[in-house]
Amino acid sequence: MSQRNATLWSTEDPMTTEPRRLFRAVTRPTQGPRRVRVPHRRLRRVGLATASVVVTLGILQIAGVTGLLSRESFPLVSEVLVRLGEESTDQRTWTSIWRTLSQALTGLGLGGGLAIVAGLALGRAPLAERSVRPIIEFLRPIPSVAILPLVILTVGVGFEGAIVLTSISSFWMVLVMTLRGAQAVDPVAEQTLVTFRVPRWTWTWNIVFPSALPFIVTGVRIAASVSLVVAVTVEMLGGMPGLGKDVQIALQNADTVGLYSLMFITGLLGLAINVSLKPVERRLLSWHPSQRGGVS
Amino acid sequence: MTKVWYRSGPIVVPAALVALWWMLSSSSTSLFFPPLADMVEAFRANWLTGETFGKMALPSLMRAGEGMLIAVVVGIVVGIVIGLSPLAESLTKAQLEFMRGLPPILVIPPMILVLGTGDVMKVGVIAASAVWPILLAAVDGVRAVEPVRDDMVQAFGLPRLARIRHLVLPTAVPHIWAGGPDRCADRPGRHGRRRVLLQ
């Protein structure tokens, strides 16, 4: 049967579609039923969450109008939403968001990338890892904010200064997780490859890297949200341009509405980073349990 | 030989690096990277003599402890209550994730507006930034209860509190402690490999 005929027949003839569907069900057991059920559930969940957020905002609005929450500390939700609407058409807001986001993500990429390479290398060399471990454990807990003054003096209060700090914070987090991951290789699988004299690069790529991946992904996900926190913090304290600096300006002008609208934007940004990393994580690790089952 | 290095490495290598730093920085005139000897002297003067430690570090640690205590109690109790009801979870998840994504430093301005600038505000900020990871981990921990065990608890007709005490808490505590599911708990650890190496 020619290729063209096969595609034609498969849509009409049950005799050809049925085995094919069976084959799919066997090779990808989780895909079949999931595809049917998830949209409905997810729709319901999103609907519930949206309704709940609207109700929360409504309650806050009522509490503000009736004076339950003092007007000086908590502006009305409606005022904040109106301000958000104004800001969404303002180029400056988008510039700030872009700056904060790029500072956080560039740092994550630089620090995290270095950490993955260093972690895989160190994790494979137990003696070296053991020797450097005290240094890592000493440097890791130093908060980025504590290095901020030194960075302001040496690198300056620009894009680079913020990136240095977000890189450092991401580096330690990803490094420690990668180290753990590189050491979590199944000894049997590893020794099998060593016995068969599989080239070093091949087994690093095929055994060490996949074994470390769950740890790396977890590390990167945590580092991503921390990176945003660090970016906003150093902007606020160090005066690097971005959302944090805008918050500082709003605070100095006693502009509570602006302050809350910026908090809202930043919170949404954090939420967006978290939510956008979840599918990536699921995708990268979906094969993982089945693979483990096959090896051990 | 490997064994000797294995034991002494963690001491020798850091010591060598500190010694290297000491020598390289001893004649440094840079404003930003002073000689290590000066730093040690300043450290001694600031922290080991006088009462700076009691005046500055202790109150900080106290506040951190108080904030953490509040966060743990509130996080676990509220997290378990929310986690027990799937409806409550889907109703509050978005708000909770939003609060967790919010950089803690942004909690400071509203806290100042509400609580002033005293100790209460500081403890409040610490609690408000520490509570979200604990709370969300508690929710996840409760959701991770094994359905079979849950069915068994219901079949035996255990009262609600006993169910929390004997089923929910034991499942949730590892999640709460680690701040998330430990995907990798059942994997061969590094000890196995170490043993191989040392043989």
Side-chain angles (χ1 to χ4, degrees), chain A residues 44-54, chain B residues 90-91 93-95:
Chain A
R44 198 180 110 90
R45 195 181 294 164
V46 168
L48 266 179
T50 318
S52 151
V53 169
V54 171
Chain B
S90 47
L91 282 180
K93 196 78 186 221
Q95 285 94 323

Side-chain angles (χ1 to χ4, degrees), chain A residues 7-161:
Chain A
T7 47
L8 258 180
W9 278 109
S10 62
T11 49
E12 288 161 12
D13 185 6
M15 289 304 280
T16 44
T17 49
E18 208 46 45
R20 188 174 273 201
R21 201 179 289 156
L22 258 179
F23 178 71
R24 255 190 219 143
V26 170
T27 50
R28 288 193 275 176
T30 51
Q31 294 264 315
R34 212 199 257 165
R35 249 184 218 163
V36 190
R37 263 161 59 200
V38 158
H40 177 69
R41 266 197 199 167
R42 187 180 285 170
L43 209 68
R44 198 180 110 90
R45 195 181 294 164
V46 168
L48 266 179
T50 318
S52 151
V53 169
V54 171
V55 169
T56 313
L57 292 179
I59 290 172
L60 284 175
Q61 171 78 9
I62 291 167
V65 170
T66 54
L68 207 64
L69 288 171
S70 85
R71 279 285 183 92
E72 290 134 48
S73 341
F74 295 103
L76 292 179
V77 171
S78 52
E79 288 174 342
V80 176
L81 288 179
V82 168
R83 177 66 74 88
L84 274 174
E86 287 167 10
E87 277 171 346
S88 69
T89 55
D90 191 344
Q91 191 59 44
R92 276 172 300 171
T93 319
W94 291 104
T95 316
S96 289
I97 292 176
W98 167 244
R99 278 180 175 148
T100 301
L101 208 57
S102 58
Q103 279 163 4
L105 294 183
T106 315
L108 178 71
L110 276 178
L114 274 177
I116 292 174
V117 175
L120 284 177
L122 260 187
R124 300 275 75 206
L127 279 182
E129 189 265 336
R130 219 177 120 86
S131 306
V132 214
R133 180 59 84 166
I135 303 168
I136 296 176
E137 292 301 332
F138 178 74
L139 293 178
R140 188 166 67 101
I142 300 177
S144 306
V145 185
I147 325 173
L148 179 64
L150 183 66
V151 170
I152 290 177
L153 288 174
T154 49
V155 188
V157 283
F159 190 67
E160 295 85 4

Side-chain angles (χ1 to χ4, degrees), chain A residues 28-294:
Chain A
R28 288 193 275 176
T30 51
Q31 294 264 315
R34 212 199 257 165
R35 249 184 218 163
V36 190
R37 263 161 59 200
V38 158
H40 177 69
R41 266 197 199 167
R42 187 180 285 170
L43 209 68
R44 198 180 110 90
R45 195 181 294 164
V46 168
L48 266 179
T50 318
S52 151
V53 169
V54 171
V55 169
T56 313
L57 292 179
I59 290 172
L60 284 175
Q61 171 78 9
I62 291 167
V65 170
T66 54
L68 207 64
L69 288 171
S70 85
R71 279 285 183 92
E72 290 134 48
S73 341
F74 295 103
L76 292 179
V77 171
S78 52
E79 288 174 342
V80 176
L81 288 179
V82 168
R83 177 66 74 88
L84 274 174
E86 287 167 10
E87 277 171 346
S88 69
T89 55
D90 191 344
Q91 191 59 44
R92 276 172 300 171
T93 319
W94 291 104
T95 316
S96 289
I97 292 176
W98 167 244
R99 278 180 175 148
T100 301
L101 208 57
S102 58
Q103 279 163 4
L105 294 183
T106 315
L108 178 71
L110 276 178
L114 274 177
I116 292 174
V117 175
L120 284 177
L122 260 187
R124 300 275 75 206
L127 279 182
E129 189 265 336
R130 219 177 120 86
S131 306
V132 214
R133 180 59 84 166
I135 303 168
I136 296 176
E137 292 301 332
F138 178 74
L139 293 178
R140 188 166 67 101
I142 300 177
S144 306
V145 185
I147 325 173
L148 179 64
L150 183 66
V151 170
I152 290 177
L153 288 174
T154 49
V155 188
V157 283
F159 190 67
E160 295 85 4
I163 284 179
V164 167
L165 289 163
T166 48
S167 305
I168 291 174
S169 74
S170 314
F171 179 78
W172 295 122
M173 230 161 289
V174 179
L175 178 72
V176 170
M177 289 306 283
T178 312
L179 275 178
R180 264 184 69 190
Q183 291 165 340
V185 180
D186 183 353
V188 178
E190 192 188 336
Q191 281 161 19
T192 309
L193 291 196
V194 172
T195 313
F196 280 111
R197 301 234 174 150
V198 174
R200 200 183 175 87
W201 279 112
T202 315
W203 63 262
T204 305
W205 180 247
N206 286 308
I207 294 289
V208 178
F209 189 65
S211 303
L213 199 59
F215 293 84
I216 297 176
V217 169
T218 310
V220 169
R221 183 166 48 83
I222 302 169
S225 33
V226 173
S227 199
L228 179 73
V229 170
V230 170
V232 172
T233 309
V234 299
E235 283 159 17
M236 214 172 141
L237 297 178
M240 284 80 165
L243 287 169
K245 195 179 185 183
D246 297 354
V247 170
Q248 193 66 29
I249 293 169
L251 203 59
Q252 277 159 9
N253 296 338
D255 175 15
T256 44
V257 182
L259 177 67
Y260 279 91
S261 74
L262 284 167
M263 277 178 71
F264 200 80
I265 294 174
T266 318
L268 281 185
L269 216 54
L271 198 63
I273 287 184
N274 261 334
V275 169
S276 61
L277 279 177
K278 259 184 194 155
V280 177
E281 186 179 3
R282 214 175 298 140
R283 185 152 190 158
L284 277 174
L285 299 182
S286 59
W287 50 271
H288 172 243
S290 56
Q291 168 100 0
R292 298 298 311 169

Side-chain angles (χ1 to χ4, degrees), chain B residues 96-184:
Chain B
L96 292 178
E97 290 283 356
F98 175 83
M99 288 309 288
R100 182 175 60 171
L102 200 66
I105 194 167
L106 291 185
V107 185
I108 298 178
M111 280 284 186
I112 292 179
L113 292 173
V114 180
L115 298 173
T117 52
D119 254 15
V120 184
M121 181 276 285
K122 289 168 190 159
V123 173
V125 169
I126 295 168
S129 26
V131 75
W132 307 112
I134 301 174
L135 208 163
L136 281 156
V139 173
D140 280 348
V142 177
R143 312 291 303 139
V145 165
E146 240 180 89
V148 179
R149 289 193 184 179
D150 203 24
D151 289 348
M152 204 168 86
V153 163
Q154 301 214 320
F156 281 113
L158 251 69
R160 193 159 255 254
L161 273 180
R163 178 170 171 262
I164 293 177
R165 164 79 184 76
H166 295 289
L167 176 69
V168 174
L169 269 183
T171 327
V173 161
H175 287 256
I176 297 168
W177 189 256
D182 196 356
R183 207 197 324 261
C184 322

